[in-house]
Amino acid sequence: MKFRGLAAALVLLGLTSSAHAQDGPPGETIWLKGATHRLKARAYRSPASSDHPQLVVVLHGDSPFRNPSYQYLFARRAAASNVDVVAVGLLRPGYTDGDGETSDGERGRTTGDNYTKDVVADVATAVDELKALFAARSVVLVGHSGGAAIVGNVIGTTPNLADGAMLVSCPCDLPAFRRHMFWKQWAPFWLLPVDSLSPLALVDRVRPTTQVQLLVGSDDELTPPRFTQLYADMLKARGGNVSVTILPGQPHDILLEPPVFASLTAMLQKMEAR
C-alpha cells in the first residue's frame, strides 16, 4: 500500500503516531542497552520470515520541531514490502517519539551537534544487539538527514557492522552543511563549535565492499545534492561500492517516497544474489 499526500506529510512531521498507521504488520517495541544509553526501537517482521532474516535499521533526522515517529513507519513499510526482512525503527539518543517514549541521552540543539562519538557508539552497539537478537544474515542501515550522517559515521567507525547503508538527504560534509545553514538562517548558533563526527572525514575507513546508496532531492534546500555528491565521489575515489540517485523536483523530506523503498528492495535483493 502506498502512503501519499497529507497523511504522509503528517507522519513525517511527527503529527501522527506510527502506532496507528495501518500500513503493514504490527510492531514490537524493544529497549536496547546501547553503549551508554538505553534506546527505544520498534521492530517489524515480513509476513514470511526465516530464523536468519535480513535486518534493516532506520534512523530519523534531527527533527527540531516534532517528535519523530516516521522511522517506525518506514520500518513497517519496509517489512511489509520485502521478503524475509526484520525492519527496525530506532529512536536516537535523547529523543522522544510520537508515543511519548524517550531514548536516554542528550538530544542536543539539532544543529548537527549530536553526531558525537558517544551517539555513534550508542547506535552501533544497538545495531549489534539487534543483529544478535534476530540472528541476521545481513544488515542494512538507513538514515534520513541527521540520521544519514550518523549512519555514515557508523560505517566509518565500525566498518564490519553493516553490509549496506542508505543515506537519504545526507549532510555528509558536516562543516560545510553547518556553514550553509548559518547563511540560510542567519542564526549564529550554527557557528558554535561541536564535537560531532563528519561522514566525509571517515571515508577512508568505510569498507570497500559495503554497499552505499545515496539519495537526495534535486530541490533539497537543507542538504543540497552537492553534499551527497562530494561524499560519493570521495568513496568512489577509494574504491567504494557507491551509487547516487538524485530525485527530480523533490525536497528534503523524501524518506517515505517510493524511490527510496525501491532502492532498499534493490539493495536487499542484490545482497541475496551476491
Side-chain angles (χ1 to χ4, degrees):
M1 179 171 64
K2 296 185 183 297
F3 200 84
R4 299 186 177 96
L6 178 60
L10 290 176
V11 173
L12 191 60
L13 291 171
L15 294 174
T16 63
S17 168
S18 63
H20 304 109
Q22 300 303 313
D23 195 32
E28 172 193 1
T29 295
I30 302 170
W31 289 95
L32 302 163
K33 292 181 181 179
T36 55
H37 296 109
R38 192 178 74 134
L39 306 183
K40 180 186 175 181
R42 188 176 291 155
Y44 303 85
R45 281 187 178 270
S46 296
S49 59
S50 70
D51 293 334
H52 300 284
Q54 292 181 290
L55 175 65
V56 175
V57 182
V58 57
L59 300 180
H60 58 84
D62 288 352
S63 195
F65 307 115
R66 303 289 179 182
N67 292 338
S69 283
Y70 68 98
Q71 71 278 11
Y72 305 143
L73 178 58
F74 183 94
R76 190 171 197 161
R77 290 188 62 193
S81 59
N82 290 286
V83 177
D84 200 14
V85 164
V86 172
V88 181
L90 189 63
L91 186 63
R92 288 166 46 185
Y95 277 84
T96 300
D97 63 15
D99 296 322
E101 295 184 309
T102 303
S103 289
D104 294 342
E106 295 294 327
R107 175 175 174 270
R109 297 183 298 270
T110 69
T111 59
D113 62 325
N114 52 8
Y115 319 150
T116 63
K117 290 181 180 179
D118 288 344
V119 167
V120 172
D122 271 329
V123 170
T125 302
V127 172
D128 202 39
E129 290 178 67
L130 290 166
K131 186 176 180 179
L133 177 63
F134 293 108
R137 67 180 183 271
S138 62
V139 178
V140 173
L141 306 181
V142 179
H144 174 243
S145 193
I150 293 175
V151 167
N153 290 330
V154 167
I155 63 174
T157 56
T158 51
N160 294 320
L161 180 63
D163 304 281
M166 287 185 59
L167 282 63
V168 182
S169 308
C170 184
C172 288
D173 183 353
L174 183 61
F177 162 69
R178 299 186 79 242
R179 289 193 298 270
H180 165 74
M181 292 303 296
F182 166 73
W183 289 111
K184 182 176 179 61
Q185 297 183 351
W186 281 98
F189 53 73
W190 287 103
L191 300 180
L192 294 174
V194 298
D195 293 325
S196 292
L197 303 178
S198 174
L200 198 66
L202 297 170
V203 289
D204 288 339
R205 298 180 59 185
V206 176
R207 188 175 59 175
T209 55
T210 301
Q211 293 185 46
V212 181
Q213 172 70 54
L214 298 135
L215 299 99
V216 63
S218 65
D219 295 350
D220 187 339
E221 295 184 354
L222 300 182
T223 56
R226 65 179 182 273
F227 299 142
T228 287
Q229 193 62 60
L230 177 60
Y231 181 69
D233 289 345
M234 290 188 68
L235 280 178
K236 288 178 182 178
R238 289 156 177 78
N241 181 4
V242 58
S243 60
V244 177
T245 301
I246 299 177
L247 303 183
Q250 291 296 317
H252 182 70
D253 292 334
I254 60 172
L255 186 69
L256 299 179
E257 293 299 317
V260 179
F261 288 98
S263 293
L264 174 62
T265 295
M267 177 179 284
L268 293 170
Q269 292 176 346
K270 186 176 180 181
M271 286 181 180
E272 290 298 273
R274 185 178 62 182

